[in-house]
Amino acid sequence: MSVQRTPTEVLQFVKDSDARMLDLRFADLPGLWQHVSYPIGMLTQDSFEEGFGFDGSSIRGWQAISESDMLIMPDPNTIFMDPFTDAPTLVIICNVVDPLTKQHYERDPRWIAQKAEKYLAMTGIGDTAYFGAEAEFFIFDNVRFDQRQNFGFYYIDAEEGRWNSGRADNNLGYRPRYKEGYFPVPPTDHHMNIRTEMVDIMMHCGIEVECHHHEVATGGQCEIDQKYDTLLKSADNMMLYKNIVRNVAFEHGRTATFMPKPLWDDNGSGMHTHQSIWKDGDPLFAGDQYAGLSETAIHYIGGLLKHSAALAAICAPTTNSYKRLVPGFEAPVNLAYSRRNRSAACRIPMYSAKPQSKRVELRYPDPSCNPYLAFSAMLMAGLDGVQNKIDPGEPLDHDIYDLSPDELRHVPALPSSLEGALDALEKDHEFLTRNDVFTEELIQSYIEYKRTAEVDAIRQRPHPYEFSLYYDI
């Protein structure tokens, strides 16, 4: 769980670790870490109050060049030694502030997560929101892609991919079948040792890990489960988690991706997100209602489901996300809740009856999201449900494939595209703007960025499969 440190303790940590470099990190709007490095002597007691200047004009989703000067402020509670640099390097995660007013920058994703936590406390509903995200990813051996005026393609290969079963040279077999990659032992699971190395480094950097395993798809789909933590800490940990996964794979001559759907006709990568609210050390989601939940938890689910179409624009935020979110393959597109049905958007895990284990699992988020924005948006939707006592309706405990077409028509579903999700967010975002957790300006800028840089960019380019469909028409 979170460790509180003072600037003095950080400076002592620098001495004890013989750090030579300082690496300051912050997140851009889409959710990638950015960084700048300094000789360690540049870090002083005053640094935590004065910050470090940088030019924010080239950061994705941020501001105009005329307002480019920004400060990054180190958070002393986020330090760790970079496990991948040759020189001993201290990493500190930062917030972004305006250099003139010293006010937090409203497009800083980390600040939005901090505001969401403050809002929870202000409501009096609870004082702590816990989040635990299960991010899946692929490890490939080779990836090629390009797009020009006269061609566009991608090509992925993985030694573990079932498509290599017929290869003539150096073929030892042992590859997961399509959609049968869940839990095989080595040698069918090719990445046991790489995942273990990832876990070792995560734990060394302060992330508590519960388990790791192969996932359903062939071609190197993996999952490493972190222990839940507070909203902000879990978002910080997810950024570090993804950084470690990418770097360990890279050091082994492989490449890791958190794209939701890199392979056609096999399972995609999700980020099932477990969440609960506590107050004064007591879990508020345990009770005597459906699946052992409390009324608070039921209403929280009501908020998640009511706002899911809008949430999808933040929690499943890429055009590629909606190639995963299609009916079938247990895709969690149905806006319902269940303790059994994994095609429902909300699931209530039943592994333990302990009150502290009661939680809600939202299943449609994927790891392409910005965790600061996604966790904050989920919390705001759930709190809206609690505040307004939103009824989520009856649970969906039937097998979705056994429902008649008429029954299925009465189960609402997620938007089928990023464009549809952005339209929903534009219409439904008042719940996000309470207490300025998400500002109106931030939401409109986010929608405009996603439409221009992603939706329109994809719509304007021919797709390779269109040539198979239409070249001879």
Side-chain angles (χ1 to χ4, degrees), residues 284-339:
L284 301 185
F285 277 14
D288 58 2
Q289 299 200 21
Y290 175 79
L293 295 178
S294 66
E295 184 178 58
T296 296
I298 295 292
H299 290 151
Y300 189 96
I301 291 172
L304 289 175
L305 295 179
K306 176 183 177 181
H307 298 297
S308 276
L311 284 178
I314 297 172
C315 300
T318 66
T319 59
N320 187 252
S321 299
Y322 298 86
K323 293 175 172 59
R324 166 183 170 254
L325 294 173
V326 294
F329 309 129
E330 294 187 352
V333 299
N334 300 292
L335 297 183
Y337 66 105
S338 177
R339 61 187 169 192

Side-chain angles (χ1 to χ4, degrees), residues 402-457:
D402 289 340
L403 295 180
S404 68
D406 185 62
E407 289 174 313
L408 195 57
R409 275 195 293 270
H410 290 90
V411 180
L414 286 170
S416 60
S417 68
L418 178 59
E419 184 175 18
L422 292 170
D423 289 344
L425 178 61
E426 193 165 45
K427 295 174 184 176
D428 175 27
H429 60 257
E430 186 273 334
F431 70 98
L432 296 173
T433 61
R434 290 176 192 161
N435 214 42
D436 276 342
V437 173
F438 287 74
T439 65
E440 184 72 31
E441 190 274 338
L442 180 281
I443 292 171
Q444 295 305 325
S445 296
Y446 179 88
I447 292 171
E448 181 181 0
Y449 174 84
K450 284 286 179 178
R451 281 179 174 161
T452 303
E454 298 179 30
V455 172
D456 290 346

Side-chain angles (χ1 to χ4, degrees), residues 451-465:
R451 281 179 174 161
T452 303
E454 298 179 30
V455 172
D456 290 346
I458 292 294
R459 179 165 43 216
Q460 293 167 7
R461 287 164 170 79
H463 187 284
Y465 193 61

Side-chain angles (χ1 to χ4, degrees), residues 92-118:
I92 310 182
I93 302 173
C94 300
N95 282 28
V96 182
V97 304
D98 183 280
L100 299 179
T101 66
K102 294 298 176 72
Q103 297 295 309
H104 284 275
Y105 182 42
E106 295 295 347
R107 294 196 196 180
D108 175 13
R110 195 166 189 268
W111 171 232
I112 292 171
Q114 290 167 309
K115 287 191 291 182
E117 290 187 320
K118 294 176 189 292

